[in-house]
Amino acid sequence: MADCDIRDGSPGIQPERAAAAVARLIEAMILEGSLRPGDALLAERELAARLNVSRPTLRDGLKLLEEKGLLTPAGRGLQIAPLGMQAIGDPLLALLADHGELADDCLEFRDIVESEAAALAARRASDTDLAHIRACLSRIDAAHDAGDPALEAEVDAALHLAIYEASHNLVLLHIMRALSVSLRNDVVQNRNRLFTRPDTREAMRAQHHRIGAAILARDPAAAQAAAHDHLDWLRHTTREIRDAEARRQVAERRRQGPDLTNGKGGAT
């Protein structure tokens, strides 16, 4: 957290006003995504020094945030509450996630959202956002070269979240952050399925680089097209693999069928 100057001891600044200013600052940082669910705040003495307020004023400001449910206790300190997670963790969503046949719907949803997010990122990304996207692409290359599927899945999901951040649409960012666990699981499942085919790892790396390059070039149309092509490829390829697996299972059941009968013909 960068040093901030609220100065509750300045002439004319009442402690309760300074406490409210502390609360507003942290609220703003939560809203813009600078502070994320689960982030632990600094120890009281250090946080008060960073904000240039007294420790009693800091406590009052943090108490306001606890009362709003934005902060929760964590050990001997406080952390950002798991905002949005409870709603996104609705049992219906868990039910949807448990049904593999809905994977196509999930990818269709991601296509709609991520294509537009990529276009927004190309228009709105700050230099810091672009540096983060470059770093994600470098991590994707490193994980690919290391042949580490788990790390590849992790950095894949990290790139998509970096694009949401760079879109600077706060509603979109917080919804997709709340869905980040589902997104990560979706990425892992898709990769496990896709890696049964040769050359898919290289294809996915190339697709991610195409999305990133378009955003770095600040080309919204190219970024939107690249994101759409990536998700459309995922949908069609996973559907083909799923259909092939279903046909294999049918053939296997037909082969096993005679072993489950007494050898006598059915009624005529």
Side-chain angles (χ1 to χ4, degrees):
M1 181 185 293
D3 290 352
C4 300
D5 194 351
I6 296 174
R7 296 193 183 185
D8 60 341
S10 300
I13 301 296
Q14 299 301 317
E16 59 270 20
R17 290 178 57 192
V22 168
R24 284 196 303 272
L25 173 64
I26 295 177
E27 283 179 349
M29 296 182 74
I30 292 172
L31 184 61
E32 71 189 13
S34 299
L35 293 174
R36 307 182 183 193
D39 282 351
L41 295 181
L42 294 171
E44 183 181 283
R45 182 186 300 276
E46 186 176 356
L47 186 56
R50 290 285 185 93
L51 298 179
N52 200 16
V53 296
S54 67
R55 293 173 70 178
T57 294
L58 175 67
R59 291 190 202 108
D60 289 343
L62 297 181
K63 183 178 179 181
L64 292 173
L65 295 173
E66 283 192 87
E67 290 172 351
K68 290 184 176 183
L70 297 175
L71 297 179
T72 58
R76 299 176 63 182
L78 294 169
Q79 68 178 14
I80 309 302
L83 305 171
M85 299 301 182
Q86 184 173 355
I88 300 299
D90 184 281
L92 175 60
L93 290 177
L95 181 62
L96 293 174
D98 287 340
H99 285 260
E101 65 271 19
L102 297 176
D104 194 75
D105 286 356
C106 179
L107 288 171
E108 184 176 45
F109 168 76
R110 286 183 57 194
D111 187 359
I112 294 168
V113 174
E114 293 187 26
S115 297
E116 185 58 31
L120 290 173
R123 293 189 187 98
R124 300 174 176 176
S126 68
D127 290 343
T128 300
D129 295 324
L130 296 181
H132 187 196
I133 289 172
R134 288 191 191 94
C136 286
L137 293 172
S138 295
R139 291 177 63 203
I140 284 174
D141 287 340
H144 180 277
D145 294 342
D148 187 336
L151 183 57
E152 281 185 287
E154 178 184 335
V155 297
D156 182 333
L159 174 64
H160 289 284
L161 287 173
I163 292 170
Y164 294 131
E165 291 176 352
S167 76
H168 288 273
N169 181 306
L170 296 184
V171 175
L172 173 63
L173 171 61
H174 285 291
I175 288 174
M176 296 312 294
R177 269 195 181 165
L179 284 169
S180 61
V181 174
S182 296
L183 172 63
R184 195 175 301 274
N185 290 341
D186 184 44
V187 166
V188 171
Q189 291 170 5
N190 287 332
R191 282 180 168 270
N192 289 341
R193 192 177 295 116
L194 291 166
F195 286 178
T196 62
R197 290 190 173 187
D199 302 325
T200 54
R201 292 176 67 243
E202 192 59 51
M204 292 181 71
R205 176 164 72 162
Q207 290 165 14
H208 285 128
H209 271 279
R210 184 183 164 208
I211 297 169
I215 294 173
L216 295 174
R218 297 195 179 279
D219 188 336
Q224 185 174 43
H228 166 70
D229 290 346
H230 171 56
L231 272 300
D232 190 59
W233 177 85
L234 277 178
R235 286 181 66 198
H236 284 86
T237 305
T238 54
R239 188 185 304 152
E240 289 173 1
I241 294 172
R242 188 169 58 248
D243 290 348
E245 176 62 17
R247 290 192 294 271
R248 187 197 66 77
Q249 291 176 358
V250 169
E252 182 66 17
R253 287 193 294 270
R254 285 175 177 160
R255 188 190 66 79
Q256 294 176 345
D259 296 337
L260 304 180
T261 68
N262 59 16
K264 296 180 180 180
T268 59

